Amino acid sequence: MTTSTAPVAVSAPRPARLPLEALLLLSLGVFVTVTAESLPAGLMPEMAADLGVDPLRIGLLVSVWAIVVIGTSIPLTRATRRIDRRIVVAVSLAVFALANVATAFAPSYEFAFATRVIAAIAHGVFWAIVIVYASSLLSGAQLGRGLALVTGGGTAATVLGLPAATALAQVTSWRVSFAVMGIGMLALAAVVVRWLPRSLVVPVPAGEREPLRHDRSLAPLLVFGIAGLLIGLAQFLSFVYIRPYLGEAAGIADGWASALLFVFGAAGMAGVAVAGTLADRFPRTALTATLLVFVVAFAALALLPQTTVVVVVALALWGAGTGAMFPLIQTALMRAASDRLRDLASASIVVLFNVGIAGGSWAGGQLTANYGATANMAVSAVVVLLASGLTALGAVLASRRASERDARAGDRLGRS
């Protein structure tokens, strides 16, 4: 098996200082796309009433998103590999923007469904490319901090973006929220094209390519990918059913449950804030250590649901781990991947994480219905413990690959 465009270089500069302006623009792109992804969940009653359908059919607009991302991210990422990544980011944002504006004017549920499919396709490409593009702007010592800043836009979308868009819809209309998001994304796409640097993949001539099976980064990428699937599974197996857990297992009133979810989100922002430093200072152990924090949090929630202090602390730990986890796993992937596999690795982790989301959401419902919400927490603890072992193995495999690469570079230097 060979690749058709094995990249060896990019033209984007790697400055000595952190390219803060570029990273903030990319983070803003993550913020608006993740907010728009979740918007139907926050606007379910308003959309259902206006479009004349059952609220559960509005929920399908969120579910179909993950399915479309799973099916289209990898092939579309491979199809755009030779195009300037800045252009791919801008075009995916523009398509996303137009799809959201179209949703705002949807005359029927079926029309809204179609526009969400188009937006999901653009979202999958954007998420797969934005990490690789951001990595091309960063030196190795900046990678953790830079990717934490970019992916932090997703956490901010959950904590700030979705509540703000929901509040806007309640004051005006759900259509206004979609239109505002779309117009904002279209403006952002124009800024990306105008101000961000180019990033071009330089393909290796066909006669000089080694078979893909000889790429030593395949093994750690596979291990990290399976870990990502398990993390998504464990996360959504429990988080989707957090309200039944708080109300039934922990006996916490609805008003306090909302406050605890705010604590979860605020802790997630704190996790994002420290993730970059952790990734750069402890590149081999930061991800595994963070997942062990997840294990402790899930185990505490499973074993001591009636102890309110434990529940509050465990939710804060879980939230912090959630904020830190995605930038950490993306940094691990970008450090482990060879140049030729960075695009594929970034697209694959998006797909695998979404597979985990879909599986976790379904399995969580079965567990809650049959055994109660504490069972979800217990199973999540076991699944994340397995994922932590895989990330530790992936770090060892990636370290060996890096040592071999450095040794080969030394040999070439010695011969010259």
Side-chain angles (χ1 to χ4, degrees):
M1 178 180 179
T2 60
T3 59
S4 59
T5 57
V8 295
V10 294
S11 60
R14 295 177 181 265
R17 69 178 185 86
L18 199 68
L20 191 59
E21 296 83 358
L23 297 176
L24 286 173
L25 281 175
L26 296 177
S27 184
L28 184 57
V30 171
F31 174 83
V32 294
T33 56
V34 172
T35 300
E37 174 188 6
S38 307
L39 212 47
L43 307 180
M44 188 176 291
E46 294 85 356
M47 293 184 70
D50 192 4
L51 296 173
V53 297
D54 187 276
L56 292 179
R57 296 189 70 189
I58 302 299
L60 286 176
L61 297 180
V62 178
S63 302
V64 73
W65 193 281
I67 295 171
V68 172
V69 168
I70 290 169
T72 61
S73 292
I74 291 177
L76 287 177
T77 300
R78 291 182 65 82
T80 57
R81 290 181 75 187
R82 296 195 183 201
I83 303 173
D84 180 356
R85 288 168 178 152
R86 174 198 53 164
I87 300 299
V88 176
V89 167
V91 170
S92 61
L93 281 173
V95 172
F96 199 107
L98 295 174
N100 275 272
V101 172
T103 302
F105 291 94
S108 66
Y109 173 80
E110 290 73 19
F111 189 93
F113 189 95
T115 62
R116 292 291 288 177
V117 169
I118 295 171
I121 293 171
H123 181 77
V125 175
F126 171 80
W127 256 108
I129 293 297
V130 71
I131 298 300
V132 183
Y133 179 47
S135 299
S136 74
L137 305 177
L138 300 163
S139 67
Q142 300 169 334
L143 196 59
R145 286 170 293 154
L147 294 188
L149 182 56
V150 172
T151 57
T155 304
T158 303
V159 178
L160 301 173
L162 184 57
T166 302
L168 176 62
Q170 290 170 348
V171 172
T172 56
S173 161
W174 69 268
R175 296 179 184 274
V176 172
S177 287
F178 273 98
V180 168
M181 295 296 298
I183 293 169
M185 280 184 271
L186 200 57
L188 181 61
V191 173
V192 167
V193 171
R194 176 66 179 85
W195 293 106
L196 293 192
R198 303 175 72 199
S199 176
L200 292 170
V201 175
V202 180
V204 175
E208 299 179 15
R209 297 179 205 143
E210 291 185 353
L212 184 61
R213 65 179 180 274
H214 293 168
D215 193 314
R216 298 299 297 272
S217 68
L218 272 176
L221 292 179
L222 178 61
V223 171
F224 282 129
I226 296 172
L229 188 154
L230 293 177
I231 294 166
L233 178 71
Q235 177 79 345
F236 281 80
L237 191 150
S238 290
F239 187 73
V240 171
Y241 303 94
I242 188 64
R243 291 300 293 270
Y245 170 85
L246 293 174
E248 298 167 15
I252 293 172
D254 285 345
W256 285 108
S258 299
L260 287 179
L261 290 178
F262 177 80
V263 169
F264 181 94
M269 293 300 295
V272 170
V274 302
T277 300
L278 291 175
D280 290 334
R281 292 191 61 184
F282 309 103
R284 290 185 58 182
T285 59
L287 177 58
T288 301
T290 299
L291 293 181
L292 292 176
V293 170
F294 269 93
V295 174
V296 171
F298 283 132
L301 291 169
L303 296 173
L304 299 168
Q306 295 296 324
T307 308
T308 303
V309 172
V310 171
V311 171
V312 172
V313 173
L315 279 174
L317 289 175
W318 181 10
T322 299
M325 178 274 301
F326 205 71
L328 288 174
I329 197 167
Q330 288 284 12
T331 302
L333 281 171
M334 292 300 100
R335 285 197 169 119
S338 62
D339 286 338
R340 72 191 298 188
L341 287 180
R342 276 192 164 189
D343 289 7
L344 182 59
S346 185
S348 296
I349 198 65
V350 172
V351 169
L352 289 169
F353 199 78
N354 274 277
V355 170
I357 290 173
S361 300
W362 175 84
Q366 303 303 308
L367 282 171
T368 298
N370 291 290
Y371 303 104
T374 54
N376 297 45
M377 301 297 177
V379 173
S380 290
V382 174
V383 173
V384 176
L385 184 61
L386 178 58
S388 68
L390 288 173
T391 59
L393 174 61
V396 171
L397 293 173
S399 178
R400 288 178 180 174
R401 173 187 171 271
S403 298
E404 292 171 358
R405 181 186 60 210
D406 292 343
R408 288 195 297 270
D411 291 341
R412 288 193 296 269
L413 184 62
R415 287 194 296 270
S416 63

